[in-house]
Amino acid sequence: MDELVRAIDSAQDLEKKVEYYFTLTGDERVLVLKGLGKAGNEETGVLLNAIYLQETDKEIRKLIRKAIFRLRSSGVKVEELRPEGESVLRKVEEVRNNMGFLTNFDHTGSRMVMAAYEVRKNTFVFLNGDLHFREGLRELMSSPVDRRSLNEIVTAYRSSTKEPAFLIEISPSYAAFIVEEGARLSGRFTDAMQSLKSYVAQLKDAVHKPDDIHSLPVADDVAPLPLHDVLRHEIFTPFSLSWESIEEDRKSYLSTGGSTIVLPPHMMEEKKDTYLRNLMERPDIASLAPLFKRLLEDYAYLFHCMGDEARYKGTLSIIRDKTARDHAFSFFLRESLEARQEKPSEDDLIINPYG
């Protein structure tokens, strides 16, 4: 606690003190407020007032009020909390530049989400998360960067990302949602989510959550592409499903129809189709279906960001039609069972030039 308070005190001015506070996790903020409540000077009261106006967590706001009360009780002069929206910081009319990026899934079932949130002019908090299709958020990196460094990082990522890997710019708000969703799935990095929410609390992006993807503007005369044309796009090429017993299931699937009686090709295909239908009803495979639906929503959004409105509408059509969605899921299930198990080369994977 003392180290965090000293770090805030070492900031050169009020604005930087507030910025540092909002880079902390929820638990760290609580520790800082407890320490600040024990400090007996008017400057601390000004800082608490400034923090209060930007803090969105109701419980933490209560702690700030208590800290201010303790200061007043000890004889320190502290201004009354100002009305919502009135800042004790110098008002500067400026536009905050934020950005978000998302990749498609690679051969390993991983994808990358990046975001940069401008906390003060030309100073950003840069986030980089590694997400797995089944496991959720596995790695999360956060660091302050200036504008020049941020531009260099983004340029490096773009230059190292080659098809069938895609790095698409998305709404910063949705990038934060992807990180939070991944953290819930993995059960990791939950402490960092409070800080992330503070970065995006005031953003007014068109896409904040998956529901927003379904109503993005498109031209009326654009017809949705059929399922097979949607899935033919290279963005889907690296993706495959995986599960614990895939090797055993692959052997069973490939041996379907392999009896002493030679079956005609169409009968062998019928047996494989039946095997796939039964496999899709098995609990461990059925649990992947909601994750696959979310993949389709994200890819629909990526298509829209790429300006491919026909595939955007076609992907939404797949999502909204359960039969079509099952066909798409079955397609990737078949692809995964029939795929040759060769370890992908590094060139096939999404590369992190800074990791």
Side-chain angles (χ1 to χ4, degrees):
M1 176 177 71
D2 293 338
E3 291 181 1
L4 293 173
V5 174
R6 282 197 296 270
I8 285 185
D9 286 339
S10 66
Q12 295 178 357
D13 54 42
L14 177 62
E15 186 174 357
K16 290 182 179 178
K17 293 177 190 290
V18 174
E19 287 175 4
Y20 179 80
Y21 169 84
F22 282 105
T23 64
L24 303 176
T25 66
D27 290 341
E28 288 172 338
R29 293 183 194 183
V30 171
L31 290 174
V32 164
L33 292 173
K34 289 179 178 178
L36 290 176
K38 297 176 181 178
N41 56 65
E42 293 184 12
E43 184 179 340
T44 301
V46 174
L47 174 59
L48 289 170
N49 262 311
I51 291 171
Y52 182 82
L53 293 173
Q54 299 183 47
E55 179 60 72
T56 57
D57 187 287
K58 293 181 179 179
E59 295 303 316
I60 294 181
R61 285 166 68 92
K62 289 180 183 179
L63 292 177
I64 297 174
R65 291 195 293 269
K66 289 180 180 179
I68 291 175
F69 177 78
R70 283 195 295 270
L71 286 177
R72 290 197 181 115
S73 299
S74 64
V76 177
K77 181 180 177 181
V78 183
E79 289 187 15
E80 293 294 327
L81 287 170
R82 301 188 180 201
E84 293 292 328
E86 182 181 349
S87 175
V88 298
L89 299 176
R90 177 171 58 89
K91 286 186 176 292
V92 178
E93 291 297 327
E94 61 179 345
V95 176
R96 298 291 190 187
N97 293 315
N98 308 289
M99 59 181 67
F101 296 90
L102 184 66
T103 72
N104 55 331
F105 285 97
D106 67 12
H107 289 87
T108 68
S110 294
R111 63 176 171 173
M112 182 179 65
V113 60
M114 295 192 309
Y117 303 101
E118 191 172 18
V119 293
R120 62 186 291 265
K121 188 173 180 60
N122 295 324
T123 301
F124 300 80
V125 172
F126 176 72
L127 300 176
N128 180 1
D130 171 57
L131 301 118
H132 188 266
F133 177 74
R134 287 185 294 111
E135 300 171 16
L137 186 61
R138 298 193 295 191
E139 299 292 341
L140 180 65
M141 181 274 286
S142 172
S143 63
V145 297
D146 58 25
R147 185 178 297 277
R148 179 179 177 180
S149 298
L150 177 62
N151 290 338
E152 291 175 352
I153 292 171
V154 172
T155 299
Y157 273 111
R158 281 177 162 160
S159 63
S160 65
T161 305
K162 307 297 182 182
E163 294 185 13
F166 290 81
L167 178 69
I168 311 298
E169 187 163 3
I170 62 172
S171 106
S173 294
Y174 195 66
F177 174 88
I178 291 290
V179 173
E180 292 180 43
E181 180 183 51
R184 288 194 300 271
L185 183 58
S186 69
R188 301 176 62 191
F189 309 103
T190 53
D191 289 344
M193 294 306 104
Q194 191 59 50
S195 295
L196 181 57
K197 289 179 181 178
S198 71
Y199 301 144
V200 301
Q202 306 303 320
L203 298 186
K204 303 184 185 301
D205 298 329
V207 178
H208 286 261
K209 55 188 185 302
D211 287 349
D212 300 329
I213 294 171
H214 292 254
S215 56
L216 293 173
V218 292
D220 293 334
D221 59 348
V222 174
L225 286 181
L227 183 148
H228 65 276
D229 284 335
V230 170
L231 300 185
R232 191 178 294 159
H233 192 278
E234 283 197 323
I235 201 170
F236 289 101
T237 300
F239 176 71
S240 64
L241 294 164
S242 64
W243 58 96
E244 290 186 3
S245 62
I246 186 170
E247 292 299 334
E248 297 174 10
D249 293 326
R250 177 179 288 114
K251 292 177 182 178
S252 299
Y253 171 79
L254 295 177
S255 65
T256 299
S259 64
T260 56
I261 302 176
V262 179
L263 297 175
H266 75 277
M267 292 188 66
M268 292 182 64
E269 285 302 309
E270 288 176 2
K271 283 183 171 291
K272 288 184 176 181
D273 287 342
T274 300
Y275 184 92
L276 288 173
R277 286 195 297 271
N278 292 334
L279 190 62
M280 288 173 63
E281 295 178 0
R282 207 173 70 190
D284 60 329
I285 304 301
S287 67
L288 301 178
L291 301 177
F292 180 71
K293 179 183 177 182
R294 283 289 299 111
L295 176 148
L296 291 175
E297 286 178 320
D298 287 348
Y299 281 22
Y301 181 34
L302 295 183
F303 284 137
H304 191 274
C305 293
M306 294 161 65
D308 195 338
E309 295 184 353
R311 278 194 172 82
Y312 162 73
K313 294 181 73 172
T315 308
L316 291 184
S317 297
I318 296 171
I319 295 169
R320 293 165 180 168
D321 183 341
K322 187 178 184 308
T323 299
R325 199 165 68 243
D326 286 346
H327 284 162
F329 185 64
S330 177
F331 169 82
F332 285 103
L333 197 59
R334 178 188 289 267
E335 289 280 301
S336 302
L337 290 172
E338 294 181 352
R340 291 188 302 169
Q341 293 307 288
E342 296 179 354
K343 184 177 181 181
S345 67
E346 290 189 358
D347 291 339
D348 292 330
L349 305 179
I350 296 169
I351 303 299
N352 176 356
Y354 286 83

